[in-house]
Amino acid sequence: MSETVSRRDSPSEAAAASTGRRVLVVDDHPDVRAMFSLALSQAGMRVLTASDGHDALELIERDLQQAQEAGRRPTVALIVLDLMMPGLSGFDVLRTLRARFTELPPVLIISALDSRAHVQEGIALGAVEFVSKPIEIELLRHKVRTLIDAPPPPSFHSAPLRGHDVAVAEKTEGAQPLRTDKPAAPRKALWIG
């Protein structure tokens, strides 16, 4: 199941019993955190959760600093981030991380706050993809697997990207099936929103 991490726990302490990189799910709604965590855990992923922007920011900063000091990859391989949270919003978390670090794990925003301006702002702040809520479970798993397996994103302070190097971020409506060669998910599929 998921590992709930508080600001007092370091990612390495929370993960001491096992090794590997993790997905950090950041959402203020406990049901959404639980459903995302369960869906990803059942797909064989290790999941950390944070209930607000403050906890997420502290956990990510500590993980990145420890990784830099130890010369290793960060424990957090991907951040699944909601935008609408009390205190620090997802936008605030991204702004703060971008101001302090040149390289971050990929960030997948999953939010109902999905106007064109919000999507563009999230991508401009460093998110690699934006998906609208509600999201179908298999789409969530697919997006997370794809982003974890993707090559590392360029740092914020690297040279400008050439046209073919730009990662394509999309706004995917959660109610539409993922377009693949496979048939669409059965109608009984669980939606999260």
Side-chain angles (χ1 to χ4, degrees), residues 36-140:
F36 282 11
S37 296
L38 180 62
L40 296 174
S41 295
Q42 288 176 341
M45 297 173 210
R46 293 183 174 100
V47 181
L48 300 171
T49 63
S51 61
D52 62 37
H54 291 288
D55 284 349
L57 189 57
E58 219 169 289
L59 185 145
I60 296 162
E61 287 180 327
R62 197 172 350 180
D63 184 40
L64 290 170
Q65 288 170 346
Q66 289 174 355
Q68 285 176 345
E69 292 168 4
R72 62 168 172 78
R73 295 186 318 176
T75 302
V76 175
L78 175 71
I79 302 165
V80 176
L81 182 64
D82 185 29
L83 293 179
M84 294 184 290
M85 296 183 289
L88 287 180
S89 71
F91 291 129
D92 295 332
V93 170
L94 285 171
R95 275 187 206 94
T96 303
L97 289 172
R98 186 171 181 177
R100 295 182 187 167
F101 296 96
T102 58
E103 295 182 25
L104 294 172
V107 176
L108 168 62
I109 294 175
I110 300 180
S111 178
L113 192 62
D114 62 359
S115 71
R116 183 178 184 98
H118 290 118
V119 173
Q120 289 174 339
E121 183 177 1
I123 300 301
L125 288 171
V128 295
E129 193 155 354
F130 192 111
V131 181
S132 298
K133 286 182 180 178
I135 181 172
E136 199 269 333
I137 291 286
E138 282 308 312
L139 178 60
L140 170 68

Side-chain angles (χ1 to χ4, degrees), residues 5-33:
V5 179
S6 75
R7 287 184 267 184
R8 294 175 298 280
D9 299 329
S10 76
S12 57
E13 291 167 348
S18 60
T19 60
R21 301 177 73 199
R22 286 157 172 64
V23 176
L24 173 61
V25 174
V26 185
D27 199 298
D28 62 314
H29 197 284
D31 292 339
V32 172
R33 279 195 316 275

